[in-house]
mmCIF file of all heavy atoms in Angstrom:
data_model
loop_
_atom_site.group_PDB
_atom_site.id
_atom_site.type_symbol
_atom_site.label_atom_id
_atom_site.label_comp_id
_atom_site.label_asym_id
_atom_site.label_seq_id
_atom_site.Cartn_x
_atom_site.Cartn_y
_atom_site.Cartn_z
ATOM 1 N N GLU A 17 -56.032 -2.326 5.703
ATOM 2 C CA GLU A 17 -55.609 -1.501 6.809
ATOM 3 C C GLU A 17 -56.773 -1.188 7.792
ATOM 4 O O GLU A 17 -57.962 -1.252 7.313
ATOM 5 C CB GLU A 17 -55.080 -0.097 6.219
ATOM 6 C CG GLU A 17 -53.812 -0.438 5.290
ATOM 7 C CD GLU A 17 -53.427 0.896 4.552
ATOM 8 O OE1 GLU A 17 -53.484 1.968 5.213
ATOM 9 O OE2 GLU A 17 -53.040 0.878 3.435
ATOM 10 N N SER A 18 -56.447 -0.828 8.986
ATOM 11 C CA SER A 18 -57.461 -0.500 9.877
ATOM 12 C C SER A 18 -57.906 0.990 9.635
ATOM 13 O O SER A 18 -57.341 1.744 8.962
ATOM 14 C CB SER A 18 -56.825 -0.439 11.333
ATOM 15 O OG SER A 18 -55.716 0.384 11.459
ATOM 16 N N GLU A 19 -59.094 1.290 10.305
ATOM 17 C CA GLU A 19 -59.687 2.506 10.047
ATOM 18 C C GLU A 19 -58.951 3.636 10.753
ATOM 19 O O GLU A 19 -58.076 3.458 11.735
ATOM 20 C CB GLU A 19 -61.140 2.551 10.669
ATOM 21 C CG GLU A 19 -62.059 1.681 9.864
ATOM 22 C CD GLU A 19 -62.121 2.037 8.388
ATOM 23 O OE1 GLU A 19 -62.452 3.131 8.089
ATOM 24 O OE2 GLU A 19 -61.635 1.200 7.544
ATOM 25 N N SER A 20 -59.085 4.938 10.420
ATOM 26 C CA SER A 20 -58.476 6.055 11.022
ATOM 27 C C SER A 20 -58.979 6.313 12.411
ATOM 28 O O SER A 20 -60.060 5.913 12.893
ATOM 29 C CB SER A 20 -58.708 7.243 10.086
ATOM 30 O OG SER A 20 -60.019 7.573 10.002
ATOM 31 N N LYS A 21 -58.068 6.976 13.151
ATOM 32 C CA LYS A 21 -58.554 7.308 14.598
ATOM 33 C C LYS A 21 -59.601 8.294 14.649
ATOM 34 O O LYS A 21 -59.787 9.227 13.751
ATOM 35 C CB LYS A 21 -57.275 7.904 15.253
ATOM 36 C CG LYS A 21 -56.056 7.032 15.366
ATOM 37 C CD LYS A 21 -54.873 7.721 15.943
ATOM 38 C CE LYS A 21 -54.322 8.752 14.978
ATOM 39 N NZ LYS A 21 -53.133 9.511 15.452
ATOM 40 N N PRO A 22 -60.542 8.265 15.557
ATOM 41 C CA PRO A 22 -61.539 9.254 15.752
ATOM 42 C C PRO A 22 -60.995 10.612 15.984
ATOM 43 O O PRO A 22 -60.019 10.773 16.646
ATOM 44 C CB PRO A 22 -62.497 8.723 16.869
ATOM 45 C CG PRO A 22 -61.537 7.832 17.663
ATOM 46 C CD PRO A 22 -60.545 7.299 16.696
ATOM 47 N N THR A 23 -61.729 11.642 15.480
ATOM 48 C CA THR A 23 -61.255 13.032 15.661
ATOM 49 C C THR A 23 -61.507 13.432 17.205
ATOM 50 O O THR A 23 -62.593 13.289 17.721
ATOM 51 C CB THR A 23 -61.992 13.953 14.842
ATOM 52 O OG1 THR A 23 -61.905 13.610 13.397
ATOM 53 C CG2 THR A 23 -61.556 15.463 14.945
ATOM 54 N N PRO A 24 -60.386 13.884 17.849
ATOM 55 C CA PRO A 24 -60.599 14.338 19.212
ATOM 56 C C PRO A 24 -61.606 15.467 19.417
ATOM 57 O O PRO A 24 -61.744 16.267 18.468
ATOM 58 C CB PRO A 24 -59.168 14.664 19.697
ATOM 59 C CG PRO A 24 -58.340 14.663 18.508
ATOM 60 C CD PRO A 24 -59.165 14.107 17.376
ATOM 61 N N THR A 25 -62.237 15.624 20.514
ATOM 62 C CA THR A 25 -63.200 16.703 20.750
ATOM 63 C C THR A 25 -62.600 17.807 21.627
ATOM 64 O O THR A 25 -63.294 18.735 22.017
ATOM 65 C CB THR A 25 -64.403 16.098 21.460
ATOM 66 O OG1 THR A 25 -63.989 15.445 22.653
ATOM 67 C CG2 THR A 25 -65.128 15.134 20.558
ATOM 68 N N THR A 26 -61.293 17.833 21.918
ATOM 69 C CA THR A 26 -60.691 18.888 22.620
ATOM 70 C C THR A 26 -59.557 19.530 21.831
ATOM 71 O O THR A 26 -59.049 18.896 21.041
ATOM 72 C CB THR A 26 -60.043 18.355 23.970
ATOM 73 O OG1 THR A 26 -59.125 17.316 23.665
ATOM 74 C CG2 THR A 26 -61.111 17.796 24.972
ATOM 75 N N VAL A 27 -59.310 20.821 22.036
ATOM 76 C CA VAL A 27 -58.292 21.544 21.334
ATOM 77 C C VAL A 27 -56.954 21.087 21.714
ATOM 78 O O VAL A 27 -56.564 21.002 22.914
ATOM 79 C CB VAL A 27 -58.477 23.049 21.532
ATOM 80 C CG1 VAL A 27 -57.262 23.815 20.976
ATOM 81 C CG2 VAL A 27 -59.770 23.580 21.030
ATOM 82 N N ALA A 28 -56.175 20.625 20.724
ATOM 83 C CA ALA A 28 -54.765 20.211 20.958
ATOM 84 C C ALA A 28 -53.877 21.469 20.888
ATOM 85 O O ALA A 28 -53.788 22.045 19.877
ATOM 86 C CB ALA A 28 -54.380 19.134 19.927
ATOM 87 N N ARG A 29 -53.330 21.726 22.101
ATOM 88 C CA ARG A 29 -52.549 23.008 22.194
ATOM 89 C C ARG A 29 -51.082 22.778 21.777
ATOM 90 O O ARG A 29 -50.620 21.662 21.664
ATOM 91 C CB ARG A 29 -52.633 23.413 23.656
ATOM 92 C CG ARG A 29 -53.950 23.800 24.217
ATOM 93 C CD ARG A 29 -53.942 24.411 25.546
ATOM 94 N NE ARG A 29 -53.239 25.635 25.599
ATOM 95 C CZ ARG A 29 -53.663 26.856 25.155
ATOM 96 N NH1 ARG A 29 -54.882 26.909 24.732
ATOM 97 N NH2 ARG A 29 -52.872 27.815 25.246
ATOM 98 N N GLY A 30 -50.421 23.890 21.384
ATOM 99 C CA GLY A 30 -48.991 23.825 21.000
ATOM 100 C C GLY A 30 -48.400 25.193 21.189
ATOM 101 O O GLY A 30 -49.050 26.211 21.648
ATOM 102 N N SER A 31 -47.048 25.366 20.986
ATOM 103 C CA SER A 31 -46.352 26.520 21.241
ATOM 104 C C SER A 31 -45.502 26.953 19.923
ATOM 105 O O SER A 31 -44.734 27.920 20.008
ATOM 106 C CB SER A 31 -45.445 26.526 22.408
ATOM 107 O OG SER A 31 -44.564 25.421 22.240
ATOM 108 N N GLU A 32 -45.590 26.244 18.871
ATOM 109 C CA GLU A 32 -44.815 26.447 17.736
ATOM 110 C C GLU A 32 -45.215 27.669 16.832
ATOM 111 O O GLU A 32 -46.313 28.225 17.173
ATOM 112 C CB GLU A 32 -44.779 25.198 16.844
ATOM 113 C CG GLU A 32 -44.088 23.960 17.447
ATOM 114 C CD GLU A 32 -45.044 23.141 18.277
ATOM 115 O OE1 GLU A 32 -46.188 23.541 18.501
ATOM 116 O OE2 GLU A 32 -44.655 21.989 18.571
ATOM 117 N N THR A 33 -44.407 27.995 15.891
ATOM 118 C CA THR A 33 -44.710 29.058 14.958
ATOM 119 C C THR A 33 -45.387 28.542 13.700
ATOM 120 O O THR A 33 -44.809 27.588 13.019
ATOM 121 C CB THR A 33 -43.493 29.866 14.629
ATOM 122 O OG1 THR A 33 -42.941 30.485 15.771
ATOM 123 C CG2 THR A 33 -43.780 31.004 13.576
ATOM 124 N N VAL A 34 -46.498 29.017 13.245
ATOM 125 C CA VAL A 34 -47.167 28.659 12.091
ATOM 126 C C VAL A 34 -47.337 29.774 11.216
ATOM 127 O O VAL A 34 -47.731 30.907 11.437
ATOM 128 C CB VAL A 34 -48.661 28.103 12.514
ATOM 129 C CG1 VAL A 34 -49.412 27.711 11.245
ATOM 130 C CG2 VAL A 34 -48.657 26.971 13.504
ATOM 131 N N LEU A 35 -46.980 29.536 9.877
ATOM 132 C CA LEU A 35 -47.123 30.429 8.783
ATOM 133 C C LEU A 35 -48.450 30.091 8.129
ATOM 134 O O LEU A 35 -48.606 28.973 7.429
ATOM 135 C CB LEU A 35 -45.904 30.385 7.798
ATOM 136 C CG LEU A 35 -46.071 31.177 6.518
ATOM 137 C CD1 LEU A 35 -46.395 32.681 6.859
ATOM 138 C CD2 LEU A 35 -44.901 31.056 5.666
ATOM 139 N N LEU A 36 -49.469 30.915 8.246
ATOM 140 C CA LEU A 36 -50.721 30.688 7.770
ATOM 141 C C LEU A 36 -51.002 31.448 6.414
ATOM 142 O O LEU A 36 -50.801 32.713 6.443
ATOM 143 C CB LEU A 36 -51.891 31.149 8.790
ATOM 144 C CG LEU A 36 -53.275 31.237 8.361
ATOM 145 C CD1 LEU A 36 -53.890 29.828 7.941
ATOM 146 C CD2 LEU A 36 -54.159 31.884 9.430
ATOM 147 N N VAL A 37 -51.392 30.766 5.314
ATOM 148 C CA VAL A 37 -51.524 31.372 4.024
ATOM 149 C C VAL A 37 -52.940 31.020 3.632
ATOM 150 O O VAL A 37 -53.217 29.866 3.291
ATOM 151 C CB VAL A 37 -50.532 30.900 3.020
ATOM 152 C CG1 VAL A 37 -50.553 31.812 1.875
ATOM 153 C CG2 VAL A 37 -49.116 30.905 3.647
ATOM 154 N N GLU A 38 -53.803 32.094 3.503
ATOM 155 C CA GLU A 38 -55.172 31.853 3.052
ATOM 156 C C GLU A 38 -55.722 33.160 2.468
ATOM 157 O O GLU A 38 -55.565 34.240 3.079
ATOM 158 C CB GLU A 38 -56.009 31.496 4.292
ATOM 159 C CG GLU A 38 -57.486 31.562 4.167
ATOM 160 C CD GLU A 38 -58.137 30.639 3.161
ATOM 161 O OE1 GLU A 38 -57.994 29.416 3.365
ATOM 162 O OE2 GLU A 38 -58.543 31.120 2.124
ATOM 163 N N ASP A 39 -56.210 33.048 1.208
ATOM 164 C CA ASP A 39 -56.601 34.341 0.515
ATOM 165 C C ASP A 39 -57.979 34.784 0.935
ATOM 166 O O ASP A 39 -58.261 36.021 0.746
ATOM 167 C CB ASP A 39 -56.603 34.134 -0.974
ATOM 168 C CG ASP A 39 -57.439 32.983 -1.506
ATOM 169 O OD1 ASP A 39 -57.419 31.959 -0.850
ATOM 170 O OD2 ASP A 39 -58.220 33.272 -2.447
ATOM 171 N N ASP A 40 -58.708 34.007 1.579
ATOM 172 C CA ASP A 40 -60.040 34.409 2.155
ATOM 173 C C ASP A 40 -59.808 35.051 3.469
ATOM 174 O O ASP A 40 -59.535 34.418 4.443
ATOM 175 C CB ASP A 40 -61.015 33.207 2.112
ATOM 176 C CG ASP A 40 -62.407 33.674 2.531
ATOM 177 O OD1 ASP A 40 -62.617 34.196 3.614
ATOM 178 O OD2 ASP A 40 -63.413 33.460 1.693
ATOM 179 N N HIS A 41 -60.148 36.413 3.493
ATOM 180 C CA HIS A 41 -59.794 37.170 4.791
ATOM 181 C C HIS A 41 -60.589 36.656 5.989
ATOM 182 O O HIS A 41 -60.038 36.588 7.053
ATOM 183 C CB HIS A 41 -60.235 38.650 4.475
ATOM 184 C CG HIS A 41 -60.155 39.445 5.768
ATOM 185 N ND1 HIS A 41 -58.960 39.841 6.346
ATOM 186 C CD2 HIS A 41 -61.073 39.972 6.566
ATOM 187 C CE1 HIS A 41 -59.139 40.596 7.414
ATOM 188 N NE2 HIS A 41 -60.517 40.687 7.619
ATOM 189 N N VAL A 42 -61.892 36.287 5.781
ATOM 190 C CA VAL A 42 -62.700 35.769 6.957
ATOM 191 C C VAL A 42 -62.178 34.517 7.487
ATOM 192 O O VAL A 42 -62.019 34.285 8.673
ATOM 193 C CB VAL A 42 -64.163 35.677 6.498
ATOM 194 C CG1 VAL A 42 -65.014 35.176 7.688
ATOM 195 C CG2 VAL A 42 -64.718 37.011 6.059
ATOM 196 N N VAL A 43 -61.779 33.583 6.640
ATOM 197 C CA VAL A 43 -61.376 32.340 7.114
ATOM 198 C C VAL A 43 -59.903 32.530 7.734
ATOM 199 O O VAL A 43 -59.634 31.899 8.705
ATOM 200 C CB VAL A 43 -61.163 31.297 5.883
ATOM 201 C CG1 VAL A 43 -60.500 30.013 6.215
ATOM 202 C CG2 VAL A 43 -62.549 31.044 5.242
ATOM 203 N N ARG A 44 -59.041 33.341 7.057
ATOM 204 C CA ARG A 44 -57.757 33.572 7.648
ATOM 205 C C ARG A 44 -57.744 34.108 9.086
ATOM 206 O O ARG A 44 -57.101 33.634 9.946
ATOM 207 C CB ARG A 44 -56.909 34.542 6.743
ATOM 208 C CG ARG A 44 -55.494 34.680 7.141
ATOM 209 C CD ARG A 44 -54.709 35.459 6.152
ATOM 210 N NE ARG A 44 -55.017 36.834 6.141
ATOM 211 C CZ ARG A 44 -55.735 37.526 5.065
ATOM 212 N NH1 ARG A 44 -56.109 36.748 4.061
ATOM 213 N NH2 ARG A 44 -56.017 38.803 5.182
ATOM 214 N N THR A 45 -58.708 35.102 9.286
ATOM 215 C CA THR A 45 -58.847 35.706 10.652
ATOM 216 C C THR A 45 -59.303 34.648 11.636
ATOM 217 O O THR A 45 -58.776 34.591 12.760
ATOM 218 C CB THR A 45 -59.803 36.871 10.526
ATOM 219 O OG1 THR A 45 -59.335 37.841 9.556
ATOM 220 C CG2 THR A 45 -59.963 37.568 11.816
ATOM 221 N N LEU A 46 -60.233 33.869 11.215
ATOM 222 C CA LEU A 46 -60.848 32.813 12.084
ATOM 223 C C LEU A 46 -59.783 31.853 12.549
ATOM 224 O O LEU A 46 -59.643 31.642 13.685
ATOM 225 C CB LEU A 46 -62.014 32.176 11.346
ATOM 226 C CG LEU A 46 -62.468 30.831 11.983
ATOM 227 C CD1 LEU A 46 -63.356 31.198 13.240
ATOM 228 C CD2 LEU A 46 -63.264 30.006 11.055
ATOM 229 N N VAL A 47 -59.005 31.344 11.578
ATOM 230 C CA VAL A 47 -58.016 30.310 11.771
ATOM 231 C C VAL A 47 -56.920 30.935 12.645
ATOM 232 O O VAL A 47 -56.360 30.220 13.604
ATOM 233 C CB VAL A 47 -57.513 29.639 10.553
ATOM 234 C CG1 VAL A 47 -56.253 28.732 10.774
ATOM 235 C CG2 VAL A 47 -58.589 28.904 9.833
ATOM 236 N N ALA A 48 -56.445 32.089 12.282
ATOM 237 C CA ALA A 48 -55.373 32.735 13.046
ATOM 238 C C ALA A 48 -55.724 32.930 14.535
ATOM 239 O O ALA A 48 -54.972 32.705 15.379
ATOM 240 C CB ALA A 48 -54.976 34.063 12.403
ATOM 241 N N ASN A 49 -56.952 33.430 14.772
ATOM 242 C CA ASN A 49 -57.338 33.664 16.033
ATOM 243 C C ASN A 49 -57.400 32.366 16.840
ATOM 244 O O ASN A 49 -57.073 32.225 18.032
ATOM 245 C CB ASN A 49 -58.690 34.381 16.142
ATOM 246 C CG ASN A 49 -58.601 35.857 15.671
ATOM 247 O OD1 ASN A 49 -57.388 36.373 15.711
ATOM 248 N ND2 ASN A 49 -59.681 36.447 15.409
ATOM 249 N N GLY A 50 -57.972 31.368 16.247
ATOM 250 C CA GLY A 50 -58.081 29.987 16.864
ATOM 251 C C GLY A 50 -56.805 29.370 17.191
ATOM 252 O O GLY A 50 -56.581 28.828 18.269
ATOM 253 N N LEU A 51 -55.753 29.572 16.295
ATOM 254 C CA LEU A 51 -54.476 28.960 16.594
ATOM 255 C C LEU A 51 -53.757 29.700 17.666
ATOM 256 O O LEU A 51 -52.931 29.076 18.588
ATOM 257 C CB LEU A 51 -53.592 28.972 15.334
ATOM 258 C CG LEU A 51 -54.055 28.014 14.198
ATOM 259 C CD1 LEU A 51 -53.132 28.143 12.967
ATOM 260 C CD2 LEU A 51 -54.034 26.656 14.727
ATOM 261 N N ARG A 52 -53.880 31.019 17.644
ATOM 262 C CA ARG A 52 -53.262 31.911 18.779
ATOM 263 C C ARG A 52 -53.871 31.493 20.107
ATOM 264 O O ARG A 52 -53.188 31.408 21.185
ATOM 265 C CB ARG A 52 -53.557 33.354 18.531
ATOM 266 C CG ARG A 52 -52.626 33.861 17.323
ATOM 267 C CD ARG A 52 -52.732 35.396 17.107
ATOM 268 N NE ARG A 52 -51.918 35.751 16.003
ATOM 269 C CZ ARG A 52 -52.352 36.324 14.888
ATOM 270 N NH1 ARG A 52 -53.627 36.463 14.773
ATOM 271 N NH2 ARG A 52 -51.496 36.615 13.899
ATOM 272 N N LYS A 53 -55.244 31.249 20.173
ATOM 273 C CA LYS A 53 -55.936 30.834 21.308
ATOM 274 C C LYS A 53 -55.324 29.478 21.849
ATOM 275 O O LYS A 53 -55.341 29.188 23.086
ATOM 276 C CB LYS A 53 -57.434 30.735 21.094
ATOM 277 C CG LYS A 53 -58.294 30.636 22.260
ATOM 278 C CD LYS A 53 -59.752 30.737 21.825
ATOM 279 C CE LYS A 53 -60.665 30.390 23.003
ATOM 280 N NZ LYS A 53 -62.087 30.346 22.494
ATOM 281 N N ALA A 54 -54.934 28.648 20.941
ATOM 282 C CA ALA A 54 -54.435 27.324 21.202
ATOM 283 C C ALA A 54 -52.933 27.343 21.581
ATOM 284 O O ALA A 54 -52.272 26.297 21.764
ATOM 285 C CB ALA A 54 -54.587 26.318 20.072
ATOM 286 N N GLY A 55 -52.320 28.631 21.581
ATOM 287 C CA GLY A 55 -50.927 28.699 22.049
ATOM 288 C C GLY A 55 -49.880 28.936 20.944
ATOM 289 O O GLY A 55 -48.699 29.140 21.276
#
C-alpha cells in the first residue's frame, strides 16, 4: 500500500455538532475551544 497523506497545516473548518468526552479538564477545555473556533 502507498503511504498516508501528509497532515495539512491549516485548520479544516466545519459546522457539525461534536460530542466531546474527555476526563482531563485542561485537555477538554483546549479541544472544545479549538473546535468551536473551527466552526
